[in-house]
Amino acid sequence: MSNNDIYQTPLASRYASEEMAQLFSNKTRFRAWRQLWVWLAKAEKQLGLSISDEAISQMEAHLDLTDEDFKVAAEEEKRRRHDVMAHVHAFGQVAPAAAGIIHWGATSCYCTDNADLLFLREGLDIVLPKLANVIHKLSKFAIEYKDLPALGYTHYQPAQLTTVGKRACLWIQDLLWDLRNLTRARGDLGFRGVKGTTGTQASFLAIFNGDHDKVEELDRLVTQFAGFEYAYPITSQTYSRKVDADVISAMSSFGATCQRIGGDIRHLAATKEMEEPFEKDQIGSSAMAYKRNPMRSERMCSLGRHLANLCKDALDTYSQQWFERTLDDSAIRRIDIPHAFLTTDVLLRILDNVVSGLVVYPAVIARRIREELPFMATENFIMRMVALGASRQDAHEVIRVLSHEASAVVKQQGKDNDLIERIKKDKFFEPIWGEIDSLMDPKTFVGRAPEQTVKFVEKEVKVALEPWTGALSGKVSELNV
């Protein structure tokens, strides 16, 4: 049966990078189990248990599973209904000298939980540099467009001007918080280590004839072999599922950020102010050949929604664990943990592709400003008239009447905003007729947006990206589709 005959998650088959898809493959998972059994045997041997050099040598020689290994394990699991014991059996077949000591003193969660912690660590190591690179590229975009005035929007209605670069800083700041959250989650990860069936280490205490020091040293050695700085001092049969919730919540928050950025780009594409990259031969619509649909941003919103909602699964799984453990966490974690990492990886690839080729249309942005700026500029006119001795109330009333007249022309007749022409013809404003054009310069309406952008990138972004300097590049992520 080929891959075309059975369902495959599009996260792996269509979107995700090869490195992330491989991380959550069966080969990687079961190789990690074998590696954990090697570490356990080596630590137990070092502490005096009777384990031969040949046993360890055979185990180390067969860390990578063959197709035959998978077949043996599948047949054994069908018989035993237990995946860990099936793989203990399969490993013993190729490492017969170790068959009697594989998994000595351990419970299934020694393999499954410690492997998952390895995957959490490696998965975060994959996504964190990619996120840093996206922030780096978007920061360059922000600096490039720091001075370009654009309509701000509040309530999705035209508001005081900002700049294209300053708006990008809103996205960057949220991404920096995602980088912080994921980095902290990575730094907080510990190892389950060797804790036994209910976390009391009773089986290992029995193996070492009541020697508590050796049990503690066994835990320390295996943790060290795995490359973790520490093991959780307290566990049940499993490590607390709050760890999963912590990591997935950070990724879910990133998913929400992607929805926010994707939504902004989609709205700006609708007004033709900005677009995501559109390839030469790309087809926007099967029916409407002229269309340039923001399909990357739409996909980003779609997958961001999926990722944002995974934290609920993780929190529910944590809260439904009873006492020392229940097995209702197993099946859902096999889905949620890979999905969280695969989706995060996919979103980073899309986001990298989009921010690497954002297209800005200054002429359209300028036209949009011209349509709305007359209303926004009226406060400048009022203040200037007052400075020349006019009554603020009188100036306000004249502006109010003229504004309503101009608004009616726009809304009821579909014509251009002619407020400025009306003001230039109204005798009341004759003292400032010569200044009106200069009072209408869009750059005078953006406040400190350019300065804020530069300071933010120099003071906040560069500092946050210092640990990731080696991962930053200008290369654009290629997408499968």
Side-chain angles (χ1 to χ4, degrees):
M1 183 177 291
S2 75
N3 290 338
N4 292 323
D5 296 318
I6 57 175
Y7 172 78
Q8 292 181 311
T9 170
L11 289 173
S13 64
R14 187 176 177 89
Y15 299 133
S17 66
E18 186 175 321
E19 59 183 342
M20 189 62 81
Q22 286 181 347
L23 176 61
F24 290 99
S25 68
N26 283 336
K27 276 195 173 182
T28 303
R29 179 176 180 80
F30 298 130
R31 188 190 192 282
W33 290 8
R34 290 189 173 189
Q35 182 65 75
L36 284 159
W37 284 320
V38 170
W39 289 333
L40 179 62
K42 291 176 73 172
E44 289 175 335
K45 176 180 172 60
Q46 187 172 325
L47 292 171
L49 295 188
S50 180
I51 298 174
S52 68
D53 290 338
E54 184 182 8
I56 292 176
S57 177
Q58 287 183 4
M59 293 168 74
E60 289 182 325
H62 293 89
L63 287 174
D64 293 308
L65 284 79
T66 65
D67 290 341
E68 181 62 25
D69 291 335
F70 277 104
K71 182 180 178 181
V72 170
E75 291 173 353
E76 187 68 10
E77 185 175 355
K78 186 181 291 186
R79 249 180 89 215
R80 304 296 186 183
R81 305 296 296 175
H82 199 289
D83 57 350
V84 172
M85 289 308 296
H87 278 273
V88 168
H89 173 78
F91 201 14
Q93 294 286 298
V94 294
I101 58 91
I102 296 172
H103 202 65
W104 194 357
T107 188
S108 297
C109 288
Y110 169 73
C111 308
T112 56
D113 271 32
N114 281 323
D116 282 342
L117 288 165
L118 291 170
F119 301 150
L120 291 180
R121 182 180 65 182
E122 189 168 340
L124 288 170
D125 286 345
I126 290 173
V127 301
L128 278 166
K130 293 182 179 182
L131 177 54
N133 204 37
V134 165
I135 293 169
H136 171 64
K137 291 181 179 180
L138 198 50
S139 298
K140 292 171 68 175
F141 174 87
I143 292 297
E144 180 180 357
Y145 290 100
K146 64 182 175 63
D147 296 313
L148 182 60
L151 281 179
Y153 293 94
T154 59
H155 312 272
Y156 196 39
Q157 302 298 311
Q160 192 176 69
L161 301 191
T162 183
T163 68
V164 172
K166 167 64 191 305
R167 176 176 286 134
C169 288
L170 297 177
W171 304 338
I172 296 168
Q173 182 168 253
D174 292 348
L175 290 169
L176 284 177
W177 287 333
D178 292 321
L179 184 68
R180 174 202 64 191
N181 293 343
L182 290 165
T183 301
R184 181 205 52 75
R186 167 66 174 83
D188 285 350
L189 282 178
F191 202 52
R192 177 191 175 276
V194 288
K195 297 299 196 297
T197 54
T198 58
T200 65
Q201 298 177 308
S203 58
F204 297 105
L205 194 62
I207 289 173
F208 288 106
N209 299 314
D211 191 328
H212 290 268
D213 290 340
K214 284 193 173 181
V215 174
E216 288 190 6
E217 181 63 5
L218 179 70
D219 201 5
R220 188 194 70 78
L221 281 173
V222 174
T223 300
Q224 182 183 62
F225 289 151
F228 281 84
E229 293 184 5
Y230 80 105
Y232 297 117
I234 297 294
T235 75
S236 59
Q237 187 175 106
T238 69
Y239 68 81
S240 173
R241 298 311 182 217
K242 203 169 185 69
V243 175
D244 296 341
D246 190 38
V247 173
I248 292 176
S249 291
M251 289 189 282
S252 289
S253 183
F254 169 69
T257 302
C258 289
Q259 291 182 80
R260 162 70 197 280
I261 295 172
D264 280 357
I265 295 173
R266 291 164 65 190
H267 281 97
L268 291 169
T271 59
K272 296 181 174 58
E273 295 179 57
M274 180 189 293
E275 286 181 343
E276 63 182 40
F278 195 89
E279 296 170 15
K280 177 178 176 290
D281 295 323
Q282 182 176 330
I283 295 174
S285 168
S286 62
M288 296 167 279
Y290 59 87
K291 294 194 75 178
R292 291 170 64 101
N293 297 332
M295 45 82 73
R296 291 175 177 84
S297 298
E298 289 174 315
R299 185 182 303 159
M300 195 155 60
C301 290
S302 178
L303 294 174
R305 187 182 313 142
H306 172 61
L307 181 57
N309 286 319
L310 284 179
C311 66
K312 181 65 166 59
D313 269 1
L315 291 168
D316 285 347
T317 298
Y318 157 69
S319 63
Q320 291 300 317
Q321 286 297 285
W322 304 344
F323 303 112
E324 278 63 53
R325 88 100 26 126
T326 59
L327 199 62
D328 61 319
D329 65 332
S330 179
I332 196 168
R333 291 177 71 251
R334 291 175 190 244
I335 298 170
D336 285 346
I337 293 176
H339 270 220
F341 278 95
L342 287 165
T343 308
T344 299
D345 182 66
V346 173
L347 284 167
L348 282 166
R349 298 184 73 211
I350 298 171
L351 194 53
D352 183 283
N353 185 272
V354 168
V355 303
S356 296
L358 281 173
V359 182
V360 177
Y361 295 106
V364 176
I365 292 173
R367 188 190 72 222
R368 295 276 294 150
I369 290 174
R370 287 195 300 272
E371 291 171 352
E372 302 294 341
L373 192 58
F375 296 122
M376 301 173 195
T378 55
E379 183 63 23
N380 284 3
F381 300 161
I382 292 172
M383 289 189 293
R384 185 62 186 139
M385 287 295 295
V386 172
L388 294 176
S391 163
R392 184 191 181 282
Q393 286 71 22
D394 291 344
H396 185 278
E397 177 59 20
V398 176
I399 285 289
R400 185 188 70 81
V401 172
L402 295 177
S403 296
H404 284 295
E405 291 174 353
S407 181
V409 168
V410 172
K411 294 177 180 179
Q412 296 173 18
Q413 300 178 33
K415 295 182 179 180
D416 292 337
N417 188 336
D418 64 354
L419 177 57
I420 300 304
E421 286 72 20
R422 291 175 184 272
I423 290 173
K424 285 182 176 181
K425 293 176 182 177
D426 193 290
K427 279 286 188 179
F428 180 85
F429 289 102
E430 186 174 1
I432 64 167
W433 281 350
E435 302 177 48
I436 285 178
D437 289 340
S438 63
L439 291 172
M440 288 279 294
D441 183 354
K443 292 183 178 180
T444 66
F445 289 83
V446 300
R448 298 190 65 253
E451 292 76 15
Q452 287 179 336
T453 300
V454 172
K455 187 173 182 180
F456 174 68
V457 171
E458 292 292 331
K459 300 292 186 181
E460 301 291 333
V461 178
K462 286 188 176 180
V463 171
L465 294 184
E466 280 179 2
W468 309 100
T469 302
L472 306 181
S473 73
K475 184 178 180 181
V476 182
S477 288
E478 296 295 335
L479 299 179
N480 295 332
V481 289

